[in-house]
Amino acid sequence: MDVESEGSSALRLIKQGAEARIYAADFLGRPTIVKERFKKKFRHNVLDDKLRHKRTMQEVRSMHRCRKAGIATPTVFFIDSNDYKIYMEEVQNSITVRDYINSLKEDKESNLRKLAKIIGTILASMHNIQVIHGDLTTSNMLLKKTNDIEIADLVLIDFGLSSISSLAEDKGVDLYVLERAFLSTHPNTEDAFKVILDTYKTFKGSSEALKKLDEVRLRGRKRTMVG
Amino acid sequence: MVTAIGFEGSANKLGIGIIRDGKVLSNVRHTYITPPGQGFQPRDTAKHHRDHILSVLRKALDNADVTPDEIDCVCYTKGPGMGAPLVAVAIVARTVAQLWNKPIVAVNHCIAHIEMGRLVTGADNPTVLYVSGGNTQVIAYLMNRYRIFGETIDIAVGNCLDRFARVLKLSNDPSPGYNIEQMAKRGKKFIELPYTVKGMDVSFSGILSYIEDIAQKKLDGGECTPEDLCFSLQETLFAMLVEITERAMAHCGSNEVLIVGGVGCNERLQQMMREMVEERGATLCATDERYCIDNGAMIAQAGWEMFSSGQVTPFNETWCTQRYRTDEVLVTWRDG
Ligand SMILES: Nc1ncnc2c1ncn2[C@@H]1O[C@H](COP(=O)(O)OP(=O)(O)O)[C@@H](O)[C@H]1O
Ligand SMILES: [Mg+2]
């Protein structure tokens, strides 16, 4: 179907993400975000096409799977598989967790703890349904509001690198990726990150993933660094 | 006026360079080259460094037209790198420091790459892609440390290229990576390889074992040429590197990229990075071959920054370490 004529207004570019262009639009009267995985000139054509296709499909699939399990992700309205565009619900007036953490001043510690517990809980339920996010950073988590935050206020986005796996190794690597991104982006938040893991730990099936996390960390520390 | 001399020998390049207030006065290098199909071993590499270090030192002083009494600090690579070669070079640095009665500054090799890159390109606060035989990291500066946002979770990209060069028995002169690059220019057919990106992290070991596996079969069956394999390997590895660099830029809100380390010499990698950066309306700092490959001047430059901000290494702490992470170093010479 021709979306433009079927009730979607023009796309307004709002930002360039890590791999996609993000547009604001209006789809059948609803505030909409359009995420376009445009062609990357630097990549070989064959590889580029394969990645854009796979990631678009995987993103939609995992968002759906998370939603069904009660994990907040934007509702997908429409997929344009020719242009690799995903039309999804706009999480209105939201800010990224990255910006939220950077904005914390008073009660920083207690707000961080509260946030960390929410993140730990969501990650555990996501891994419980075998969704590996693949790109866990504080840029890929949105907060609907900034006061008295609850679980339902944290929305996970950007599932392009996600996969479905029950392997503890994959879950461990998922946590490892978050750990590095979290601690590099937010210096001196080791305590908060520990709360994420401690919360994650209280869920069933989490101990193997945490054991793998230790292994992956150790591999990093043992790696030779010659040259 | 501060004049620093830098000693580098963490891998197969032995280098000594002299820097005075941002000006490179000399930068002499001697590379240990092994026969095709062979990597460099710690013992032989250390011996190479011991055999050549005095003549390299002589040349570095002569080329700079500097006498020891004009030098303000002696800088050496503390790590990371191979133990024996590191120690072989550190011993000489310590000895001359005592002979000349100069303070010593122990330098992190990765930080030295970054500081040299900043000096020669004038980059202010870039997202750094550090790619070499032993390291693959995406780094950005934040609150007095170079923080690692992305990294390989197994082998380094240069290691992956070198090991594949050994499979094809390519020459190690001037470097295996250079010879892969030349072969890749003549490659046409793209062979699909595994592609493993995890957020801002990458993994190369699966690609290496896959291509090692299929190489002989495909070559014997006439399905592709060695050139095609080099081409496909480069296209895949570099696409991953550019992708994680872009992800880090978006995450950190950065508009500047700097590539450092030996693999940074690769023109195809530079071209791909330029295409990504231009599309984002950002800038790629020009790479300078002379300083991408390990060298002594970069150790002098990082040491110069450290020394100028008041850092000196007490003599009894002038040891070496094979593992020394980029984010362990407190950066005292840049604003918080
Ligand atoms: N559904 C949405 N509602 C509101 N903002 C969004 C939504 N999706 C994405 N964004 C914004 O766009 C940015 C980039 O989106 P993301 O899906 O992470 O793409 P990329 O893969 O390019 O990083 C996010 O960090 C967020 O600020
Ligand atoms: Mg994102």
Side-chain angles (χ1 to χ4, degrees):
Chain A
M1 98 178 173
D2 181 352
V3 197
E4 301 280 317
S5 57
E6 287 281 334
S8 151
S9 64
L11 305 184
R12 301 180 303 277
L13 183 68
I14 51 171
K15 67 172 82 172
Q16 178 143 1
E19 62 165 342
R21 289 200 184 106
I22 306 293
Y23 302 89
D26 168 285
F27 186 75
L28 302 172
R30 286 171 290 194
T32 301
I33 288 286
V34 179
K35 176 169 181 176
E36 178 193 22
R37 286 198 165 75
F38 59 97
K39 191 173 165 38
K40 297 267 170 177
K41 235 176 60 192
F42 70 81
R43 280 199 293 241
H44 190 278
N45 241 324
V46 173
L47 180 60
D48 186 64
D49 235 42
K50 191 177 103 179
L51 291 177
R52 288 158 69 209
H53 177 83
K54 190 172 147 200
R55 290 176 180 181
T56 304
M57 294 307 151
Q58 201 53 52
E59 174 146 35
V60 173
R61 210 171 283 150
S62 294
M63 279 164 89
H64 184 65
R65 196 177 171 111
C66 283
R67 272 189 84 76
K68 273 199 311 193
I71 301 161
T73 60
T75 314
V76 174
F77 296 147
F78 178 77
I79 308 153
D80 181 344
S81 47
N82 292 322
D83 291 342
Y84 304 114
K85 282 189 191 132
I86 301 173
Y87 289 63
M88 66 179 103
E89 166 196 358
E90 177 184 354
V91 184
Q92 286 185 286
N93 305 317
S94 61
I95 67 167
T96 64
V97 165
R98 175 178 183 268
D99 291 342
Y100 171 73
I101 295 178
N102 288 341
S103 75
L104 286 177
K105 283 187 190 79
E106 306 109 58
D107 293 333
K108 182 167 176 171
E109 293 309 311
S110 71
N111 280 317
L112 261 180
R113 282 185 76 83
K114 205 189 282 171
L115 173 70
K117 280 187 186 157
I118 293 175
I119 294 175
T121 307
I122 290 177
L123 293 187
S125 27
M126 185 184 78
H127 282 174
N128 188 42
I129 54 165
Q130 326 303 353
V131 172
I132 311 300
H133 185 282
D135 189 13
L136 288 173
T137 64
T138 48
S139 291
N140 290 334
M141 301 171 184
L142 303 180
L143 274 180
K144 286 185 187 165
K145 58 178 168 59
T146 52
N147 282 322
D148 298 316
I149 52 171
E150 299 166 41
I151 294 223
D153 295 323
L154 196 147
V155 183
L156 278 182
I157 59 165
D158 205 356
F159 285 84
L161 299 180
S162 69
S163 56
I164 306 296
S165 164
S166 56
L167 295 179
E169 164 86 17
D170 292 331
K171 295 174 186 174
V173 171
D174 219 19
L175 296 173
Y176 180 74
V177 164
L178 176 65
E179 177 173 59
R180 176 187 343 283
F182 195 95
L183 296 179
S184 313
T185 313
H186 310 289
N188 312 319
T189 54
E190 281 77 9
D191 291 347
F193 192 77
K194 196 171 170 295
V195 175
I196 295 182
L197 293 184
D198 287 345
T199 312
Y200 181 88
K201 205 186 327 198
T202 60
F203 289 82
K204 72 169 179 352
S206 61
S207 61
E208 287 88 62
L210 288 168
K211 217 159 57 203
K212 284 291 175 185
L213 169 63
D214 276 336
E215 273 181 46
V216 182
R217 284 175 180 154
L218 202 66
R219 262 179 250 158
R221 255 174 261 135
K222 280 189 179 160
R223 189 178 41 242
T224 57
M225 302 196 279
V226 177
Chain B
M1 215 162 63
V2 173
T3 309
I5 186 168
F7 289 72
E8 155 65 26
S10 60
N12 68 331
K13 286 110 193 156
L14 169 67
I16 300 178
I18 299 175
I19 284 214
R20 175 175 290 156
D21 298 340
K23 191 159 178 275
V24 180
L25 301 184
S26 68
N27 197 18
V28 183
R29 179 166 51 217
H30 199 284
T31 304
Y32 174 49
I33 292 170
T34 47
Q38 277 179 38
F40 49 93
Q41 300 302 319
R43 268 190 56 187
D44 304 332
T45 311
K47 180 171 186 318
H48 164 269
H49 292 359
R50 279 195 300 271
D51 289 348
H52 292 94
I53 194 162
L54 292 182
S55 63
V56 170
L57 175 58
R58 180 77 267 159
K59 247 193 229 160
L61 289 165
D62 289 349
N63 290 0
D65 200 13
V66 157
T67 56
D69 56 294
E70 292 174 79
I71 286 171
D72 297 294
C73 62
V74 175
C75 318
Y76 77 98
T77 308
K78 174 175 170 180
M82 275 186 177
L86 278 171
V87 169
V89 173
I91 283 172
V92 177
R94 271 203 301 264
T95 307
V96 298
Q98 282 185 300
L99 278 174
W100 302 341
N101 199 21
K102 305 290 178 186
I104 309 189
V105 180
V107 172
N108 177 300
H109 180 90
C110 314
I111 301 270
H113 270 297
I114 299 172
E115 290 308 335
M116 197 64 194
R118 288 181 63 227
L119 173 69
V120 298
T121 65
D124 173 39
N125 189 20
T127 300
V128 180
L129 176 67
Y130 174 27
V131 275
S132 67
N135 290 280
T136 306
Q137 298 180 334
V138 181
I139 301 161
Y141 176 79
L142 186 67
M143 288 171 69
N144 294 105
R145 280 187 207 271
Y146 285 107
R147 304 195 186 256
I148 303 169
F149 283 82
E151 184 169 27
T152 173
I153 56 175
D154 39 57
I155 59 173
V157 61
N159 190 247
C160 183
L161 289 166
D162 292 358
R163 281 161 69 175
F164 188 61
R166 260 176 258 159
V167 172
L168 294 181
K169 296 272 187 328
L170 300 184
S171 162
N172 290 326
D173 190 8
S175 73
Y178 177 84
N179 291 314
I180 290 212
E181 180 178 5
Q182 305 318 309
M183 299 267 285
K185 285 180 184 162
R186 299 188 297 271
K188 291 196 173 61
K189 187 170 167 187
F190 181 72
I191 317 268
E192 277 190 53
L193 300 171
Y195 186 97
T196 320
V197 166
K198 303 188 186 279
M200 291 179 269
D201 289 342
V202 284
S203 155
F204 297 123
S205 65
I207 302 176
L208 180 64
S209 48
Y210 180 85
I211 196 169
E212 281 176 345
D213 251 24
I214 61 157
Q216 212 49 57
K217 259 179 277 161
K218 289 218 187 257
L219 292 174
D220 291 347
E223 272 180 71
C224 68
T225 63
E227 284 81 0
D228 294 335
L229 289 173
C230 292
F231 168 71
S232 307
L233 183 61
Q234 273 197 179
E235 289 302 305
T236 308
L237 298 179
F238 296 167
M240 290 164 59
L241 294 175
V242 174
E243 176 175 348
I244 59 167
T245 307
E246 181 167 27
R247 190 157 289 128
M249 288 175 80
H251 181 66
C252 301
S254 155
N255 266 316
E256 212 179 14
V257 177
L258 172 67
I259 312 177
V260 300
V263 182
C265 293
N266 190 298
E267 288 174 6
R268 178 61 187 143
L269 173 60
Q270 292 171 20
Q271 181 192 12
M272 288 167 75
M273 193 65 85
R274 195 170 307 115
E275 280 168 357
M276 179 277 280
V277 155
E278 277 171 5
E279 192 276 322
R280 290 190 79 82
T283 52
L284 173 65
C285 307
T287 350
D288 190 323
E289 294 246 355
R290 287 171 297 173
Y291 308 114
C292 256
I293 301 170
D294 293 350
N295 63 89
M298 69 185 212
I299 304 301
Q301 174 59 16
W304 184 96
E305 293 278 14
M306 294 169 76
F307 183 75
S308 304
S309 72
Q311 284 197 55
V312 168
T313 308
F315 191 75
N316 61 355
E317 286 170 30
T318 53
W319 31 274
C320 297
T321 169
Q322 288 177 255
R323 278 172 272 281
Y324 188 13
R325 289 180 61 79
T326 312
D327 52 11
E328 277 177 52
V329 178
L330 185 66
V331 177
T332 49
W333 56 94
R334 288 187 63 172
D335 296 339

